[in-house]
């Protein structure tokens, strides 16, 4: 759980980056591949 404004901003920037990557992948037609890559990155951040 974020405890200060900097941590909250970092979490929001990460989420925005994910949305932007998904939008780009959808336009390129490789949405599923990019989605799997994003999931792997999130799992690495959790551990």
């Amino acid at each position: 759980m974020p405890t200060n404004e900097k941590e909250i901003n970092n979490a929001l920037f990460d989420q925005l980056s994910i949305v932007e990557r998904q939008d780009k992948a959808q336009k390129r037609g490789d949405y599923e591949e990019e989605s799997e890559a994003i999931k792997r990155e999130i799992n690495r951040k959790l551990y």
Side-chain angles (χ1 to χ4, degrees):
M1 190 70 158
T3 58
N4 62 41
E5 187 176 346
K6 184 176 180 180
E7 289 178 8
I8 292 170
N9 285 342
N10 285 338
L12 293 173
F13 280 126
D14 285 345
Q15 291 176 1
L16 181 57
S17 295
I18 289 169
V19 170
E20 289 172 344
R21 286 176 60 187
Q22 288 176 328
D23 285 345
K24 289 178 188 177
Q26 188 172 14
K27 289 176 184 174
R28 289 190 313 260
D30 62 353
Y31 180 82
E32 289 182 22
E33 183 179 327
E34 187 69 22
S35 180
E36 289 301 316
I38 291 168
K39 288 177 188 176
R40 286 190 301 272
E41 290 175 16
I42 290 170
N43 281 329
R44 280 195 302 266
K45 288 181 182 182
L46 292 175
Y47 299 106

